Amino acid sequence: IKGGGYRKWYGNDFYVLFYGGTGQRILETPNATLMPRERIDAPKCTWTDIALTFNCRLAPDVAAHDISGHCMYPPEDDIYLVLSYANSSVFGKIIDSLNGTLHFQVGDVAKVPFKYPGDRDRLETLARRAVEICMDDWNGHEVSRDFMSQPVLSASTGEGFAASVPVSYTH
């Protein structure tokens, strides 16, 4: 996870890290360090370091991050609740008042008090739905590793463009 442009809920996972089982190849790179394996596998929320407006995303199941793509590691049972709060206008106002720059560091996010208002189940349900919608949108982009086809091409038949148009190749 290396940050990326403004994107809430899900996405901006462009890079694949060649870990190589032990991470030895990474360690051979000057100034490189490895995250603990349990952090790579842990559920996490991520955001971009430099942004005009704070925006938070659910990170992929297995993901490492660098200095530009910060992460927080809420308990798994709270991840959608934390994500809903991090993407709220209340959170945005608080973090803007605590941080006068365009850099949203881990320490800045940690200073924001966490108290969720209202119905926990409803907030989690809405956050899960927002992630699903953004995941579908992200996977409609060719840069997504889960890309299958352009949504506009599969909308008319429900099967995708390739299923409805025969293709033949000539030499």
Side-chain angles (χ1 to χ4, degrees):
I1 302 169
K2 295 178 74 67
Y6 180 88
R7 186 156 183 99
K8 283 185 177 181
W9 305 109
Y10 189 83
N12 282 358
D13 53 332
F14 296 103
Y15 301 95
V16 176
L17 178 65
F18 179 71
Y19 192 81
T22 64
Q24 188 60 37
R25 186 170 179 181
I26 296 168
L27 290 173
E28 291 169 358
T29 304
N31 301 320
T33 58
L34 286 177
M35 292 176 57
R37 181 67 193 188
E38 55 275 1
R39 282 296 201 197
I40 292 172
D41 295 336
K44 56 189 137 311
C45 299
T46 183
W47 65 93
T48 303
D49 173 35
I50 300 174
L52 293 174
T53 306
F54 186 84
N55 56 101
C56 196
R57 300 172 292 282
L58 182 67
D61 290 341
V62 176
H65 59 88
D66 75 353
I67 194 78
S68 297
H70 300 298
C71 288
M72 60 179 146
Y73 297 84
E76 190 169 358
D77 292 344
D78 294 336
I79 199 157
Y80 287 98
L81 184 65
V82 170
L83 190 59
S84 69
Y85 180 57
N87 281 325
S88 72
S89 58
V90 171
F91 187 96
K93 296 275 187 214
I94 294 171
I95 199 163
D96 285 348
S97 69
L98 294 173
N99 175 28
T101 71
L102 299 177
H103 289 272
F104 294 103
Q105 301 289 332
V106 172
D108 300 324
V109 173
K111 290 177 191 173
V112 178
F114 179 76
K115 176 143 174 83
Y116 64 90
D119 181 1
R120 178 186 178 111
D121 291 337
R122 179 154 169 73
L123 292 172
E124 287 178 338
T125 299
L126 291 171
R128 283 180 193 277
R129 183 64 185 131
V131 168
E132 288 171 7
I133 290 168
C134 290
M135 190 179 287
D136 287 345
D137 175 65
W138 180 253
N139 292 335
H141 292 82
E142 292 175 359
V143 293
S144 169
R145 42 184 162 171
D146 294 321
F147 174 77
M148 296 299 278
S149 69
Q150 291 283 342
V152 71
L153 298 178
S154 58
S156 63
T157 65
E159 298 178 23
F161 186 71
S164 60
V165 178
V167 177
S168 63
Y169 298 96
T170 58
H171 296 283

